[in-house]
Amino acid sequence: MYRADLFEGLLNIDVVLSLAALLAWWWAARAASRFPHPTPAPWADPIDDPPARETPDERPAHDAPTLGSPADGDPGNGGTTGGDPTGGHPARGDAADGSPTSGHPARRDAAGEGPARSGAAGPGVGGVSAGEAGRGAVGGKPAGGRAGRDPGRRVRIRARILLGVLAAGTLLLVARTVIGALLAGFGWEFGADRVVVAAPLVLLPAVAVACWTVPRLWRLSSRRSPSPPPEAPLPEASHPEASRPEAGALPDGGLAPKAPPAGTFPARAWPSREPKMVWPVQVTAVGAVAGFVLAFLWPISPPFTGEALIVFTAHGLTSALLWNRLGRRARTGPVRPRWGRRALAAALVVAVVGGCARLSAEASEHPPVMTMHGPGLPTAHGSAHSPLFGNAPGSATPAEDPVSVTELTEPDTGPPDRRFTLVAREQRVRLASGAVVEAWAFNGSVPGPELRVREGDLVEITVVNRLSAAEVSVHWHGVDVPNAADGVPGVTQDAVPPGGRFTYRFRIKPGDIGTHWYHSHQSASEQVGRGLFGPLIIEPAGAPEREDVTERTVMMHTWQSQGRDRRAFGLADRLERLAVPAGRKVRLRVVITSPTPRFFTIDGTSFMITAVDGNPINGPSALSGVRLMLGAGGRYDIEFTMPDGPVRLTEAYALDSGLLMSPDGGGEVTPTTWSSPEFDISRYGTPAATPFDHTSRFDRTFSFKFDNRPGFYDGSFTLLWMINGHVYPDIPTPVVREGELIRLRFANRSRLDHPMHVHGHRMLLLTRNGRPLSGSPIWRDTVDVQQGEIWEVGFRADNPGAWMDHCHNLLHARAGQMMHLMYDNVESPYKTGGSTSNHPL
Ligand code: C2O
Ligand code: CU
């Protein structure tokens, strides 16, 4: 099992467990509060409430209908506090309607038979005629008879069921805590919320449950039913309210008059609705609700400033209110529900929830115009000391010498070494399988034409937009161009309108070599998907003109064809065969252009990964039998010498496609099992000197935590992909100063991987899950941060500008996971937002 899969699995199990715990404890709290009252009906003489509203309903037989309800699985069925008008009450309601004279025996009967009836009676049976009551009583006799004669048995059963649920609920809580501890094993901030915040909210009250509730329930569950003293006085005779017709005016049909005597059973025999028995269960239930909210709706992470305080305070207050309520009830007896009030409360809840949803939907709406930075926008200045905890907030102090993005152009105005033109237009293309894609293409081909240049070249590329109705812009992914040539609409330029054109000029910096790619950065989540991308290869300055090598660029993509997803290498969504003479060097340049990561294997030969994101790996060793994983935007250069037999490049989840190479183009290879160990780039290759490492003194450290939760983004409900609890444009903008050494720390608490891409810079990987890299120095422009992983990376702030910094799962970026790296003296005159035509993602 892979680390990321394990982490994701734990998160998912945890959500299910938290939901199950919530349901179990909620049910238990309701059931516990419905046990009969211990003291002999002091409420028979109600003090606080008007008599018409206050009803005795705690006599055991009376309770009988309720007793059935736990087994029915409907906590709402509770009779004693009258939770539900549908079940449980018919017999009582009927009996109450009966006339005092004829009704009397029937009433007793009905009350006794209640449970049997309630089991069968559907909604709407309640509150009919006395005749109905009779029938109900008779009909219920066979089943209900036993219970009617021995209500103590029902209580025992009910107590046992409740004990069982409490045990199960406790197991769920313990399991959640174990999962929290396991998650914390991936990194403290992955499980701290469960261990430090959620667990105490449930485990402490669960101890109280064990001390107070369980012994009482235990006694109830094992007690022999006390037999009713035959001479017990009937409550109807002694109770002034009992025969009053006003009981029938109770909203759910009333039930006062027909119950058997309170004295039927010694009240002390029913140690029950005392606060000490009910309250711990209720408090645990409230904690379980909090646990679910924290697991699913409101992920929090250390240092929990404020958040934990809110949670604990809310839990404490709710617990105090419940205690107070139970105390009141113990004195006055249960209050019959007032349906008007209940409806009002429900309406209030709906209004509040609806109002909150509406407000947060509105609050999430993007302003019609947004700028990259400026007064009023949140910024972060990182911290020099604590890489673990957050980014010091700062204000956008205007630098003395502001530079506009428009000035950050290629200084060399001379004739370019290489010149290209890319024309974007709609183009229908066919995949190898024949599936038709309504693509958008550069120069009529998908992927777009390969741009091959040399290290040090001055490059000029003109992009012409012939799309019928969409703007376009092009970003040179992995190439550290001057900011003005970065191709991000609303940040470094205005999007190119249909019919328009834009020229990009940049000189390839020394050392900037290898496999890169270009793609549209206007509505990138859509336009890259449609095909506006292509390879950009930079040859090292000293490379021979002609190399004796078979080279293939494999752009792993997901196409939309007739509403279906199709995974392909370029346009090949079928197995492609290639004849390569034995002994020849093969170089595969793998580029992930899809939003989701790709898992792939190479079978039939050992191979080397010679470069990642274009950057050469020092002393790569031969690999075989490993699973390769590469996130969106990332590149691997893979090299091997062609053996006599066939070699196959296969992508998981697309086993019937792939690239098969062999001397004669024939043959077969079975792909390695997908459970083979995953390639670990942090231990690959040979160490070498680097300009800085994980022990260096960094001028600033920015810490980013990734979470996901449901919520509103720009007015619509979706799954949010968050950075430090925020989504764009509310994520504080990291601000740096030219020349500084910057460290970024990425911790992924969410359910999916996040390939974090920083424009304009290459990052040196420093540590993976706290462990320094042990192999070759690894430089990347897109860092795969898998679920449950923590990466630290460093770079020198040597390329002034406003640089996008986002997840290259462009769908995540589109849903909030993007920000900008700002140099403190740079200003951008460009704007994004709904009222502009600049939409970078
Ligand atoms: Cu390849 Cu901002 O992206
Ligand atoms: Cu992401």
Side-chain angles (χ1 to χ4, degrees):
M1 185 118 189
Y2 298 107
R3 186 189 158 95
D5 297 340
L6 190 64
F7 183 83
E8 189 187 338
L10 287 174
L11 283 184
N12 289 334
I13 293 171
D14 187 55
V15 166
V16 173
L17 289 184
S18 71
L19 185 61
L22 185 157
L23 294 175
W25 283 95
W26 195 255
W27 186 89
R30 290 193 64 122
S33 71
R34 273 163 177 64
F35 266 88
H37 200 276
T39 48
W43 59 84
D45 185 11
I47 307 154
D48 300 327
D49 291 282
R53 302 266 172 209
E54 203 66 51
T55 313
D57 65 347
E58 283 306 295
R59 280 141 295 200
H62 211 238
D63 239 353
T66 331
L67 301 184
S69 57
D72 294 339
D74 180 2
N77 248 356
T80 51
T81 54
D84 197 321
T86 55
H89 294 317
R92 286 185 271 153
D94 295 350
D97 281 347
S99 76
T101 44
S102 69
H104 195 87
R107 263 181 271 144
R108 298 202 61 173
D109 228 347
E113 309 308 325
R117 183 96 196 274
S118 79
V125 185
V128 275
S129 68
E132 280 279 338
R135 262 187 284 139
V138 172
K141 212 145 213 158
R146 278 168 294 139
R149 280 183 215 107
D150 182 10
R153 181 169 172 274
R154 287 234 151 228
V155 172
R156 284 198 303 277
I157 291 172
R158 191 174 145 188
R160 280 172 205 163
I161 291 172
L162 185 47
L163 276 172
V165 172
L166 289 178
T170 306
L171 274 183
L172 288 170
L173 300 181
V174 170
R176 279 209 71 203
T177 308
V178 170
I179 285 186
L182 289 175
L183 288 171
F186 281 79
W188 176 237
E189 65 247 70
F190 300 131
D193 51 341
R194 274 121 178 133
V195 174
V196 177
V197 183
L201 290 181
V202 287
L203 293 187
L204 293 181
V207 170
V209 168
C211 297
W212 290 346
T213 310
V214 169
R216 288 169 170 81
L217 277 178
W218 190 257
R219 278 202 301 279
L220 274 177
S221 72
S222 54
R223 185 179 297 281
R224 308 246 79 232
S225 166
S227 47
E231 70 284 9
L234 291 179
E236 284 88 348
S238 58
H239 197 306
E241 312 292 321
S243 53
R244 275 167 50 173
E246 125 274 31
L250 285 175
D252 68 340
L255 46 78
K258 52 42 168 93
T264 298
F265 305 103
R268 267 175 307 282
W270 305 96
S272 55
R273 197 204 296 277
E274 44 189 322
K276 267 190 166 182
M277 168 162 148
V278 183
W279 189 63
V281 187
Q282 291 182 334
V283 173
T284 316
V286 173
V289 172
F292 174 73
V293 169
L294 290 175
F296 189 58
L297 299 175
W298 192 35
I300 63 174
S301 60
F304 303 127
T305 34
E307 296 148 335
L309 195 72
I310 292 174
V311 174
F312 286 129
T313 310
H315 187 257
L317 277 180
T318 314
S319 305
L321 284 176
L322 286 169
W323 175 263
N324 187 282
R325 184 161 166 259
L326 284 172
R328 228 173 41 230
R329 295 254 168 114
R331 264 182 277 113
T332 64
V335 181
R336 294 296 304 163
R338 293 161 229 186
W339 291 106
R341 263 204 190 189
R342 288 205 161 192
L344 207 69
L348 202 71
V349 167
V350 169
V352 167
V353 169
C356 285
R358 175 128 196 199
L359 280 181
S360 64
E362 275 171 13
S364 79
E365 267 167 32
H366 291 176
V369 177
M370 294 185 279
T371 50
M372 284 317 101
H373 90 147
L377 276 188
T379 56
H381 289 240
S383 96
H385 311 290
S386 69
L388 272 180
F389 298 137
N391 306 321
S395 55
T397 37
E400 307 89 63
D401 249 340
V403 183
S404 169
V405 163
T406 54
E407 300 166 46
L408 297 168
T409 52
E410 169 56 47
D412 190 338
T413 52
D417 300 303
R418 302 300 312 271
R419 194 174 250 147
F420 302 96
T421 303
L422 293 174
V423 182
R425 62 160 63 93
E426 285 94 354
Q427 176 86 39
R428 170 175 296 185
V429 295
R430 231 171 246 287
L431 304 181
S433 65
V436 172
V437 176
E438 301 297 339
W440 293 3
F442 285 120
N443 297 4
S445 82
V446 174
E450 177 183 280
L451 308 183
R452 203 171 264 258
V453 300
R454 276 200 168 232
E455 189 182 359
D457 276 357
L458 182 60
V459 181
E460 189 179 287
I461 306 167
T462 301
V463 172
V464 181
N465 184 2
R466 296 249 184 282
L467 292 171
S468 54
E471 293 83 8
V472 79
S473 80
V474 180
H475 168 60
W476 319 98
H477 185 121
V479 189
D480 296 341
V481 299
N483 194 225
D486 197 41
V488 182
V491 182
T492 64
Q493 67 172 94
D494 281 323
V496 184
R501 61 176 58 216
F502 190 93
T503 300
Y504 298 88
R505 274 174 70 91
F506 49 89
R507 185 177 289 286
I508 306 291
K509 288 183 183 169
D512 205 348
I513 57 168
T515 308
H516 304 304
W517 62 304
Y518 59 89
H519 61 78
S520 175
H521 221 303
Q522 166 76 355
S523 302
S525 53
E526 183 200 353
Q527 296 196 0
V528 175
R530 283 180 178 267
L532 287 177
F533 63 85
L536 168 52
I537 313 290
I538 306 175
E539 310 266 18
E545 272 308 320
R546 295 189 63 82
E547 241 192 311
D548 204 16
V549 55
T550 296
E551 230 186 64
R552 255 304 167 110
T553 301
V554 176
M555 305 194 97
M556 298 192 181
H557 197 70
T558 304
W559 298 101
Q560 298 287 326
S561 169
Q562 286 124 5
R564 271 192 55 198
D565 276 2
R566 288 177 189 273
R567 289 166 172 250
F569 293 175
L571 290 178
D573 60 344
R574 286 285 157 83
L575 183 67
E576 188 189 357
R577 291 176 177 276
L578 189 65
V580 180
R584 193 177 166 92
K585 188 170 158 188
V586 178
R587 181 182 299 132
L588 302 175
R589 300 179 184 268
V590 175
V591 185
I592 312 300
T593 61
S594 64
T596 48
R598 286 296 190 256
F599 303 92
F600 50 97
T601 59
I602 291 169
D603 301 281
T605 181
S606 66
F607 60 94
M608 289 186 306
I609 297 181
T610 54
V612 56
D613 294 357
N615 306 295
I617 285 175
N618 187 51
S621 53
L623 294 167
S624 61
V626 291
R627 182 177 86 155
L628 302 175
M629 180 271 179
L630 197 50
R635 288 89 69 204
Y636 277 157
D637 285 11
I638 294 166
E639 291 186 8
F640 56 88
T641 303
M642 193 61 206
D644 289 337
V647 174
R648 181 176 168 149
L649 170 67
T650 318
E651 194 238 299
Y653 314 118
L655 296 179
D656 50 354
S657 63
L659 176 63
L660 193 135
M661 291 151 282
S662 68
D664 61 356
E668 257 320 319
V669 194
T670 316
T672 319
T673 67
W674 297 108
S675 56
S676 44
E678 196 161 283
F679 169 64
D680 180 359
I681 202 167
S682 71
R683 300 161 181 243
Y684 187 61
T686 321
T690 49
F692 55 90
D693 64 16
H694 70 282
T695 62
S696 300
R697 210 201 120 263
F698 289 86
D699 297 300
R700 292 174 204 272
T701 296
F702 295 94
S703 191
F704 301 114
K705 284 172 195 157
F706 308 134
D707 273 303
N708 61 303
R709 72 168 170 85
F712 289 94
Y713 188 72
D714 198 8
S716 42
F717 194 73
T718 179
L719 193 59
L720 298 177
W721 299 98
M722 299 181 302
I723 301 177
N724 293 341
H726 298 288
V727 287
Y728 177 83
D730 301 324
I731 304 164
T733 301
V735 178
V736 301
R737 178 161 294 166
E738 189 172 357
E740 285 178 338
L741 191 56
I742 306 297
R743 175 167 49 192
L744 306 180
R745 182 180 189 275
F746 302 114
N748 185 355
R749 293 161 32 102
S750 76
R751 285 186 168 67
L752 286 179
D753 77 301
H754 302 295
M756 289 305 291
H757 175 46
V758 178
H759 287 208
H761 301 77
R762 262 169 299 165
M763 302 168 275
L764 177 66
L765 306 187
L766 303 172
T767 65
R768 178 188 200 182
N769 303 318
R771 213 187 51 230
L773 269 71
S774 59
S776 163
I778 305 287
W779 294 87
R780 299 203 66 173
D781 52 63
T782 310
V783 183
D784 290 325
V785 190
Q786 293 196 60
Q787 306 90 304
E789 277 199 332
I790 302 168
W791 282 92
E792 284 182 317
V793 304
F795 65 90
R796 178 71 66 184
D798 58 1
N799 196 3
W803 300 102
M804 211 171 222
D805 183 358
H806 61 91
C807 177
H808 221 286
N809 182 327
L810 298 173
L811 303 169
H812 293 179
R814 174 81 191 75
Q817 215 177 13
M818 67 159 149
M819 54 189 169
H820 303 89
L821 180 75
M822 285 299 303
Y823 280 65
D824 63 353
N825 62 334
V826 172
E827 288 177 353
S828 170
Y830 302 106
K831 299 185 180 358
T832 67
S835 71
T836 72
S837 47
N838 294 327
H839 309 294
L841 285 148

